[in-house]
Amino acid sequence: MSTITGVTFPVPKHLMPRFFAEGKTVFIKPATVFKELRSGMKLVFYQSHEETGYVGEATIRRIVINEDPLAFFETFGDAVFLTREEARAYVENQERWQGVRKEAPRKRPWMALELERIRKYDTVKKPERFVPVGGRYLRT
């Protein structure tokens, strides 16, 4: 049986410098692949859109779940890799993606991964398998 050692999520190339050059330490996104994550596991950054592949990694220091992604700015301030405006726009786009439904759309919680020991790889590494938007667990 394989063991979960971490997770990978796609991040657009233009946002990657926020982790490696600007010192951002909190990754936020809708909570998709997270139930098996624990502090001490790895987050591997998958660069999407262009020059795709694994470009770096970090250790997960803390995991916080919240219904309101804007609450992460109260907790973590400027350490969040998205701006408040980008997070707000993401939420508004998510609501538009829901389409027309008879019942109210299910409200998905968001997660914040507080990171430490962030490091960029010297070269881009191609993953063995596709990394979907929702992310994917890493296993040994």
Side-chain angles (χ1 to χ4, degrees), residues 30-67:
T32 48
V33 177
F34 72 97
K35 290 184 176 151
E36 301 296 323
L37 290 183
R38 303 288 176 262
S39 296
M41 289 183 170
K42 293 282 181 209
L43 166 67
V44 176
F45 297 103
Y46 176 80
Q47 182 169 276
S48 63
H49 296 307
E50 57 183 290
E51 298 175 47
T52 61
Y54 297 139
V55 296
E57 66 181 51
T59 301
I60 299 170
R61 181 171 175 222
R62 178 168 58 145
I63 303 164
V64 179
I65 306 293
N66 196 311
E67 295 291 324

Side-chain angles (χ1 to χ4, degrees), residues 2 4 22 32 48 62 78 84 95 106 108 122 135 137:
S2 63
I4 294 172
E22 298 172 25
T32 48
S48 63
R62 178 168 58 145
D78 287 341
R84 190 181 294 263
E95 290 168 359
R106 185 173 60 103
R108 170 170 279 158
D122 293 333
Y137 286 122

